[in-house]
Amino acid sequence: MAQIDPAQIRTRQELVEQLGLLFVRDGWSHHRLAEAADGLSPATVRKAVSDVTALPRPSTLKALAKAFGRDAGPWLEARDRIQRLEKNSSAPEGTGSAPRVQVGVVPRAADCFQRREAASKLEKMAAGGGTVVLCQVLAGMGGVGKTQLAAAYAREQQVDVLVWVTASSTVEIVAAYADAATALGLPAVPGDQKQEARRFLEWAATTDDRWLIVLDDVQEPGDLRGWWPPDSGNGRVVVTTRRRDAVLSGQGRRLIDVELFTPDEARAYLTAKLAVHGLDDDSAQVDGLAEDVGWLPLALAQAAAYMVDAGLDCAGYRARLADRRRELPDVLPEPGCLPDDHQAVVAAAWSLSIERADRARPAGLARPLLWLCSMLDPNGIPAVVLTSEAALTYLAEHRPSEQEVESDLVWDALRVLHRFSLIDHTPEAFAQEVRVHNLVQRATRESLTPEQRAATVQAAADALLEVWPEVERGQLAPILRANTMPLRHAAGSLLWQGEMHGVLFCAVESLGAAGQPSGAATECIELLTICDQLLGSAHSDTLDIRHNLAYWRGEAGDPAGATDAFQGLLTDRLRILGPDHPDTLTTRGNLARWRGEAGDPAGAADALQELLTDRLRILGPDHPDTLATRSNLAYWRGGSGDPAGAADALQELLTDHLRILGPDHPDTLATRHNLAYWRGGSGDPAGAADAFQELLTDHLRILGPDHPDTLTTRSNLARWRGEAGDPAGAADAFQELLTDRLRILGPDHPHTLTTRSNLAYWRGGSGDPAGAADAFQELLTDRLRILGPDHPDTLTTRNNLAYWRGYAGDPAVAVEAFAELLVDCQRVLGSEHPLISSVQDNLSYWRKQADPS
């Protein structure tokens, strides 16, 4: 929130703004504030916090200060100060004395003008004094209000000579200087405007008069070569520009970045702007509108004008703005009805900058690069996406010269776009090096022909897919997912031209792998609807999305739903593809897996045995899919009560994997992992721990310490170390693993939660049942928040919590908890799920402990 300090107030505008900030910050309505302010009328309140044409009466200020909980004295002093300053000034809009000579027209103050951080910086830097001219350069994208800030500063200065220059070319700069020479009565040089302009600069270098030169809207820094105002202790210079070239800073020039409104500034501005027209809107909708237009002052001003003219509230305007059938000009005032003397609508505000940037070296590259950026996430685009082979090929094809484009040229073009304030290029911001305002993106997209849009969408999607990491570690994958979503919205049907683009599959899989299976399932539902519409129900991509939806539904805690979905998918795969198609066989494998997860491990093993017969017939014994089926069959054999048989089958499979794939292949390592697990399950926990220790050595060597498989091996090693008689060692190992899980995956990832569960269990097993119960209670809170009450992992956590509560000395509480849990398990999981028999056994045991008689 902006600083509220009546001692700093110098103008009516500032007084009204400060009152308006208090009004907005504390959430008043005009009627409520009127009641609190000693019975003022709502109209008087509205005028005091939004109308700059008249000073509030002293009695009104006293009543408002009391309602706001403020001392009225400083506010009354501010009112007196404004009256004195206005009395001593003939300048109707300022607080300083009118200049003796003024050249050029200072733009009038915009309605509800906001004093912002940039204004404070400008005043602070300009007040620094010294013998060198203090040239302040206000730089920022089009529409952030640079000219208004410069105009407010100019009106407030007490100078003898004020020269306002519309500095869009050297010709205009020279003409303004020549006019200043004439106004000052300097000796004329008929027919030589440049010589007259130089005489003005000579005067500025030597005069004792105080002067201010504002060079507004400098388009090319080179236009000022030879025409910069001189160094003089009596002079000040303010430049406004969209450029951020190095020449604009240094040499006595200070660059001030003019940013967007802050959310608080945007709220205060829009609230005051609407109040001028007697409108009062919901603060949440006001904030939402400000966010929708990216807190851009120009867009907010034009949006407010459009709303007033169209009779819309914020919610109605936001609905039109979000309607993709409308372009930006359709939701902004017509050019002849723009507020605050605006020269162009938002959609056209950056066109000249784009033209100039595209002519800068490397010529012809800035425009197509901005096209590409317009399809991606405004909050951060990875540089690796823009320098991928797909992006380089696209840029070369759309560069007028059709010259080859290499990554260093992309870097140069990004710097050009940055210099012209069309993007923010921050090389040190990993994977979010490029940011683009969302309205610049929209205006850019709307300028494309249908052919250009299609090519740009395809290139952006290809680029994202190209750089997506196979193993997702670190922050790149989440940022790539964030870039895929706006691309989907911008593309419409363009990512479904005969097939669904692979980046959409990749984004869903990435979301699920990041520990958000419910989110992945939701995304699959949306994609499935589009695939049905655009590709048809029998298309392979539609069937693949159904497959993914079923899988993530199971991972999200609904194995029965996953089983039903895979059963339905299998029926359609058989009808469309036939029984021997690879996709049909894959669906059978997944159906078997989720049947086991839903509580029928024996049925899963039988189904996999049948599948293995067909895999052997169709693919042969050494095919990877055949080997994978053997691995899954061994797992469910163990899960159905034959761990020794599972271990024997995996030992045979390992022999074949070593022969076919070699010792370092991921499938070979996975088989070693499963073999070690079932060795422990068949009664040899020490042998399992030794095998996992050997496997961990190889995982570290081959995959590195942060690979998911390495972390899983550490988890199993800790578990079997505990089972082998070292519960304290297991707890220590899980504590170390939890530290790495948190660092790599974050606190809400399923693997992090599972590690917390294991740590709690072995804490109890090492002699601290109360600590285990406390840890499970904390884990249950997070399981409920993340997964909901009916997820199997939530139910399992309740089981563990009740168990350790009993061992912590409270068997009656354990009995009550197990009884409640049994009802929920039977409701959610059905009667055959393994967890139900475990809960029943626990309930029986703790009943006996609670009532030995």
Side-chain angles (χ1 to χ4, degrees), residues 21 48 79 127 178 239 329 334 347 383 389 425 436 571 586 593 624 653 677 778 833 836:
L21 282 173
R79 186 183 187 280
V239 177
E334 296 183 17
E389 285 300 320
H425 181 219
V436 195
T571 299
T586 298
R593 181 259 172 109
L653 178 60
Y677 178 87
E778 293 176 5
H833 197 280
I836 292 178

mmCIF file of all heavy atoms in Angstrom, residues 21 48 79 127 178 239 329 334 347 383 389 425 436 571 586 593 624 653 677 778 833 836:
data_model
loop_
_atom_site.group_PDB
_atom_site.id
_atom_site.type_symbol
_atom_site.label_atom_id
_atom_site.label_comp_id
_atom_site.label_asym_id
_atom_site.label_seq_id
_atom_site.Cartn_x
_atom_site.Cartn_y
_atom_site.Cartn_z
ATOM 1 N N LEU A 21 -7.032 6.533 -0.717
ATOM 2 C CA LEU A 21 -6.271 5.352 -0.288
ATOM 3 C C LEU A 21 -6.798 4.825 1.046
ATOM 4 O O LEU A 21 -6.934 3.609 1.244
ATOM 5 C CB LEU A 21 -4.786 5.692 -0.162
ATOM 6 C CG LEU A 21 -3.987 5.773 -1.456
ATOM 7 C CD1 LEU A 21 -2.586 6.273 -1.180
ATOM 8 C CD2 LEU A 21 -3.932 4.411 -2.132
ATOM 9 N N ALA A 48 -15.375 13.904 -1.390
ATOM 10 C CA ALA A 48 -14.120 14.110 -0.659
ATOM 11 C C ALA A 48 -13.050 13.117 -1.069
ATOM 12 O O ALA A 48 -11.857 13.445 -1.073
ATOM 13 C CB ALA A 48 -14.378 14.002 0.844
ATOM 14 N N ARG A 79 -4.573 21.003 4.165
ATOM 15 C CA ARG A 79 -5.546 21.829 3.450
ATOM 16 C C ARG A 79 -5.094 23.284 3.421
ATOM 17 O O ARG A 79 -5.169 23.953 2.371
ATOM 18 C CB ARG A 79 -6.918 21.704 4.121
ATOM 19 C CG ARG A 79 -8.036 22.404 3.369
ATOM 20 C CD ARG A 79 -9.351 22.290 4.142
ATOM 21 N NE ARG A 79 -10.440 22.816 3.346
ATOM 22 C CZ ARG A 79 -10.742 24.098 3.207
ATOM 23 N NH1 ARG A 79 -9.995 25.013 3.866
ATOM 24 N NH2 ARG A 79 -11.743 24.490 2.444
ATOM 25 N N ALA A 127 16.321 16.193 -6.496
ATOM 26 C CA ALA A 127 16.662 17.064 -5.368
ATOM 27 C C ALA A 127 18.100 16.889 -4.925
ATOM 28 O O ALA A 127 18.562 17.581 -4.024
ATOM 29 C CB ALA A 127 15.723 16.781 -4.201
ATOM 30 N N ALA A 178 14.326 25.939 -30.795
ATOM 31 C CA ALA A 178 14.287 27.214 -31.524
ATOM 32 C C ALA A 178 13.138 28.082 -31.007
ATOM 33 O O ALA A 178 13.284 29.302 -30.837
ATOM 34 C CB ALA A 178 14.140 26.959 -33.020
ATOM 35 N N VAL A 239 13.508 12.985 -19.155
ATOM 36 C CA VAL A 239 13.291 12.304 -20.433
ATOM 37 C C VAL A 239 12.296 11.173 -20.198
ATOM 38 O O VAL A 239 12.391 10.449 -19.201
ATOM 39 C CB VAL A 239 14.615 11.727 -20.986
ATOM 40 C CG1 VAL A 239 14.364 10.955 -22.288
ATOM 41 C CG2 VAL A 239 15.629 12.835 -21.205
ATOM 42 N N PRO A 329 -9.445 -4.242 -29.492
ATOM 43 C CA PRO A 329 -10.182 -3.016 -29.855
ATOM 44 C C PRO A 329 -11.673 -3.110 -29.577
ATOM 45 O O PRO A 329 -12.341 -2.089 -29.422
ATOM 46 C CB PRO A 329 -9.897 -2.873 -31.360
ATOM 47 C CG PRO A 329 -8.595 -3.584 -31.568
ATOM 48 C CD PRO A 329 -8.640 -4.745 -30.631
ATOM 49 N N GLU A 334 -13.584 3.633 -28.575
ATOM 50 C CA GLU A 334 -13.187 3.969 -29.940
ATOM 51 C C GLU A 334 -12.161 5.100 -29.906
ATOM 52 O O GLU A 334 -12.127 5.893 -28.959
ATOM 53 C CB GLU A 334 -14.410 4.364 -30.757
ATOM 54 C CG GLU A 334 -15.400 3.221 -30.921
ATOM 55 C CD GLU A 334 -16.581 3.619 -31.791
ATOM 56 O OE1 GLU A 334 -16.460 4.637 -32.504
ATOM 57 O OE2 GLU A 334 -17.603 2.923 -31.745
ATOM 58 N N ALA A 347 -4.307 -1.607 -27.865
ATOM 59 C CA ALA A 347 -3.861 -2.550 -28.885
ATOM 60 C C ALA A 347 -2.827 -1.948 -29.823
ATOM 61 O O ALA A 347 -1.992 -2.652 -30.388
ATOM 62 C CB ALA A 347 -5.059 -3.057 -29.691
ATOM 63 N N ALA A 383 14.696 -19.453 -21.667
ATOM 64 C CA ALA A 383 15.497 -19.119 -22.840
ATOM 65 C C ALA A 383 15.768 -20.348 -23.686
ATOM 66 O O ALA A 383 15.883 -20.258 -24.926
ATOM 67 C CB ALA A 383 16.813 -18.468 -22.408
ATOM 68 N N GLU A 389 16.033 -26.016 -31.405
ATOM 69 C CA GLU A 389 16.108 -26.175 -32.865
ATOM 70 C C GLU A 389 14.783 -25.807 -33.516
ATOM 71 O O GLU A 389 14.752 -25.198 -34.589
ATOM 72 C CB GLU A 389 16.497 -27.617 -33.217
ATOM 73 C CG GLU A 389 17.957 -27.947 -32.988
ATOM 74 C CD GLU A 389 18.891 -27.060 -33.823
ATOM 75 O OE1 GLU A 389 18.558 -26.799 -35.006
ATOM 76 O OE2 GLU A 389 19.916 -26.617 -33.294
ATOM 77 N N HIS A 425 13.950 -8.957 -20.198
ATOM 78 C CA HIS A 425 14.904 -10.054 -20.372
ATOM 79 C C HIS A 425 15.851 -10.027 -19.177
ATOM 80 O O HIS A 425 16.646 -9.103 -19.020
ATOM 81 C CB HIS A 425 15.682 -9.889 -21.681
ATOM 82 C CG HIS A 425 16.660 -10.989 -21.929
ATOM 83 N ND1 HIS A 425 17.906 -10.781 -22.477
ATOM 84 C CD2 HIS A 425 16.578 -12.324 -21.697
ATOM 85 C CE1 HIS A 425 18.545 -11.930 -22.566
ATOM 86 N NE2 HIS A 425 17.764 -12.880 -22.102
ATOM 87 N N VAL A 436 6.743 -11.139 -20.664
ATOM 88 C CA VAL A 436 6.034 -10.269 -21.606
ATOM 89 C C VAL A 436 4.681 -9.922 -21.004
ATOM 90 O O VAL A 436 3.988 -10.806 -20.474
ATOM 91 C CB VAL A 436 5.813 -10.964 -22.972
ATOM 92 C CG1 VAL A 436 5.415 -9.942 -24.027
ATOM 93 C CG2 VAL A 436 7.032 -11.742 -23.406
ATOM 94 N N THR A 571 -12.519 -52.879 -24.026
ATOM 95 C CA THR A 571 -13.600 -53.253 -24.939
ATOM 96 C C THR A 571 -13.468 -52.509 -26.265
ATOM 97 O O THR A 571 -13.592 -53.097 -27.354
ATOM 98 C CB THR A 571 -14.964 -52.949 -24.290
ATOM 99 O OG1 THR A 571 -15.085 -53.713 -23.086
ATOM 100 C CG2 THR A 571 -16.106 -53.292 -25.223
ATOM 101 N N THR A 586 -1.245 -53.512 -23.957
ATOM 102 C CA THR A 586 -0.873 -52.579 -22.878
ATOM 103 C C THR A 586 -2.067 -52.301 -21.969
ATOM 104 O O THR A 586 -1.932 -52.228 -20.734
ATOM 105 C CB THR A 586 -0.347 -51.270 -23.477
ATOM 106 O OG1 THR A 586 0.839 -51.538 -24.241
ATOM 107 C CG2 THR A 586 -0.013 -50.261 -22.388
ATOM 108 N N ARG A 593 -3.110 -54.548 -13.438
ATOM 109 C CA ARG A 593 -2.459 -53.831 -12.333
ATOM 110 C C ARG A 593 -3.485 -53.198 -11.397
ATOM 111 O O ARG A 593 -3.414 -53.339 -10.169
ATOM 112 C CB ARG A 593 -1.514 -52.764 -12.892
ATOM 113 C CG ARG A 593 -0.751 -51.966 -11.812
ATOM 114 C CD ARG A 593 -1.397 -50.607 -11.604
ATOM 115 N NE ARG A 593 -0.842 -49.881 -10.475
ATOM 116 C CZ ARG A 593 -0.062 -48.807 -10.572
ATOM 117 N NH1 ARG A 593 0.299 -48.367 -11.757
ATOM 118 N NH2 ARG A 593 0.343 -48.167 -9.478
ATOM 119 N N PRO A 624 10.982 -56.523 -24.872
ATOM 120 C CA PRO A 624 10.863 -55.770 -23.607
ATOM 121 C C PRO A 624 9.481 -55.862 -22.977
ATOM 122 O O PRO A 624 9.356 -55.938 -21.746
ATOM 123 C CB PRO A 624 11.204 -54.335 -24.016
ATOM 124 C CG PRO A 624 12.092 -54.488 -25.202
ATOM 125 C CD PRO A 624 11.575 -55.694 -25.940
ATOM 126 N N LEU A 653 14.050 -63.887 -14.188
ATOM 127 C CA LEU A 653 13.933 -62.707 -15.059
ATOM 128 C C LEU A 653 15.231 -61.915 -15.060
ATOM 129 O O LEU A 653 15.655 -61.410 -16.116
ATOM 130 C CB LEU A 653 12.768 -61.827 -14.591
ATOM 131 C CG LEU A 653 12.524 -60.531 -15.362
ATOM 132 C CD1 LEU A 653 12.221 -60.825 -16.826
ATOM 133 C CD2 LEU A 653 11.377 -59.729 -14.734
ATOM 134 N N TYR A 677 13.172 -56.709 -2.965
ATOM 135 C CA TYR A 677 11.957 -56.482 -2.186
ATOM 136 C C TYR A 677 11.308 -57.800 -1.786
ATOM 137 O O TYR A 677 10.968 -58.019 -0.613
ATOM 138 C CB TYR A 677 10.982 -55.624 -3.005
ATOM 139 C CG TYR A 677 9.677 -55.363 -2.315
ATOM 140 C CD1 TYR A 677 9.529 -54.291 -1.457
ATOM 141 C CD2 TYR A 677 8.581 -56.205 -2.519
ATOM 142 C CE1 TYR A 677 8.326 -54.046 -0.815
ATOM 143 C CE2 TYR A 677 7.382 -55.973 -1.880
ATOM 144 C CZ TYR A 677 7.255 -54.895 -1.028
ATOM 145 O OH TYR A 677 6.061 -54.665 -0.382
ATOM 146 N N GLU A 778 0.105 -35.241 12.428
ATOM 147 C CA GLU A 778 0.489 -34.143 11.534
ATOM 148 C C GLU A 778 0.364 -34.577 10.071
ATOM 149 O O GLU A 778 -0.100 -33.809 9.223
ATOM 150 C CB GLU A 778 1.928 -33.714 11.826
ATOM 151 C CG GLU A 778 2.113 -33.066 13.195
ATOM 152 C CD GLU A 778 3.572 -32.734 13.477
ATOM 153 O OE1 GLU A 778 4.407 -32.924 12.569
ATOM 154 O OE2 GLU A 778 3.885 -32.290 14.593
ATOM 155 N N HIS A 833 -10.865 -55.434 0.121
ATOM 156 C CA HIS A 833 -9.580 -54.738 0.086
ATOM 157 C C HIS A 833 -8.702 -55.171 1.259
ATOM 158 O O HIS A 833 -9.193 -55.341 2.388
ATOM 159 C CB HIS A 833 -9.797 -53.223 0.127
ATOM 160 C CG HIS A 833 -8.598 -52.431 -0.301
ATOM 161 N ND1 HIS A 833 -7.537 -52.185 0.540
ATOM 162 C CD2 HIS A 833 -8.284 -51.846 -1.486
ATOM 163 C CE1 HIS A 833 -6.634 -51.458 -0.098
ATOM 164 N NE2 HIS A 833 -7.065 -51.250 -1.328
ATOM 165 N N ILE A 836 -8.909 -53.523 4.749
ATOM 166 C CA ILE A 836 -10.041 -53.810 5.632
ATOM 167 C C ILE A 836 -9.693 -54.932 6.598
ATOM 168 O O ILE A 836 -9.971 -54.846 7.802
ATOM 169 C CB ILE A 836 -11.285 -54.155 4.801
ATOM 170 C CG1 ILE A 836 -11.756 -52.893 4.050
ATOM 171 C CG2 ILE A 836 -12.398 -54.702 5.689
ATOM 172 C CD1 ILE A 836 -12.944 -53.107 3.157
#
